[in-house]
Amino acid sequence: MLVRFVASSRLPTEWGDFLMHGFEDPASNKEHVVLTMGDFDNGEPVLSRIHSECLTGDALFSLRCDCGNQLRTALQAIAEEGRGALFYLRQEGRGIGLLNKIKAYRLQDAGADTVEANERLGFGADMRDYSLLGPMFAHLGITSVDLMTNNPRKVMALSDLGIEVRQRLPIETSSNPHNEKYLRTKGAKLGHMFRAD
């Protein structure tokens, strides 16, 4: 069964008022949300971000990654534009889950990079599934985006779903001593692009 829409409500934030749309995925028993601002009826590309859940970075302020900074940067950009959508997918740890992510962190503490750690635990480097976005885009009536991402897989995934990616907008955040190796690995092994095309 496909991801299905459940309900919407207003979500006031420090960047302004968003609408929060809740979706459920019966296959995985996970719930996902999309935060939107503005009107999408004119068919113009929508400033968008696909953000996978990162409890440690988004809510616990971890310096091991750039996730929390990317989330805040995207919400601020949408607020400044006055129009946009942030898709928040419950795919923690590139899809391996929170507890396995903690195990991966332990391997990283012993010297593995983020890709090596996932692979030593028996997972692929990136287990996220972006096909579940199709029903969300359809529900919101979004067919074209300006996508805030460093990850080329997200561009390809949207194209595969028939969503036009008019342009990719890199999300650049500052590095720190705790995430420098992580960021280098994302570029070298996962193909992330930190500059504009």
Side-chain angles (χ1 to χ4, degrees):
M1 184 178 294
L2 293 174
V3 172
R4 60 189 178 212
F5 170 72
V6 177
S8 297
S9 68
R10 189 175 67 90
L11 183 71
T13 75
E14 65 181 274
W15 300 280
D17 283 2
F18 288 83
L19 278 179
M20 180 169 61
H21 311 272
F23 296 83
E24 63 181 359
D25 181 359
S28 66
N29 200 30
K30 290 185 178 177
E31 300 162 337
H32 310 278
V33 297
V34 184
L35 302 184
T36 64
M37 182 179 283
D39 186 4
F40 305 153
D41 292 340
N42 63 7
E44 289 293 312
V46 176
L47 181 63
S48 300
R49 164 84 181 150
I50 299 166
H51 190 90
S52 295
E53 176 183 34
C54 177
L55 178 71
T56 50
D58 297 342
L60 301 179
F61 316 109
S62 171
L63 296 177
R64 297 183 79 131
C65 63
D66 56 346
C67 303
N69 287 336
Q70 287 185 337
L71 177 62
R72 289 184 289 276
T73 298
L75 289 172
Q76 182 176 348
I78 290 170
E80 289 173 357
E81 184 82 8
R83 182 173 177 271
L86 184 135
F87 296 77
Y88 195 90
L89 306 181
R90 306 292 302 280
Q91 300 191 113
E92 180 76 49
R94 290 200 199 100
I96 68 173
L98 179 60
L99 298 183
N100 283 320
K101 179 179 176 179
I102 295 171
K103 293 176 184 177
Y105 277 173
R106 184 181 61 210
L107 292 172
Q108 291 171 44
D109 289 340
D113 66 35
T114 182
V115 169
E116 292 166 347
N118 279 20
E119 291 173 344
R120 288 182 193 174
L121 291 172
F123 299 106
D126 191 338
M127 303 290 291
R128 290 174 291 185
D129 176 13
Y130 298 116
S131 66
L132 57 88
L133 288 163
M136 299 182 198
F137 275 90
H139 177 80
L140 296 168
I142 300 174
T143 59
S144 179
V145 297
D146 290 335
L147 188 63
M148 293 182 281
T149 188
N150 301 328
N151 186 347
R153 279 192 65 225
K154 294 179 182 179
V155 175
M156 290 185 291
L158 291 190
S159 296
D160 289 345
L161 292 172
I163 305 297
E164 177 196 22
V165 179
R166 183 177 71 167
Q167 61 180 328
R168 182 189 69 83
L169 304 170
I171 293 197
E172 296 186 34
T173 61
S174 58
S175 63
N176 67 69
H178 305 283
N179 71 10
E180 287 175 347
K181 182 177 180 180
Y182 167 83
L183 293 174
R184 285 197 307 271
T185 301
K186 287 208 300 186
K189 293 190 174 182
L190 297 173
H192 285 218
M193 301 175 289
F194 299 101
R195 297 285 184 267
D197 296 334

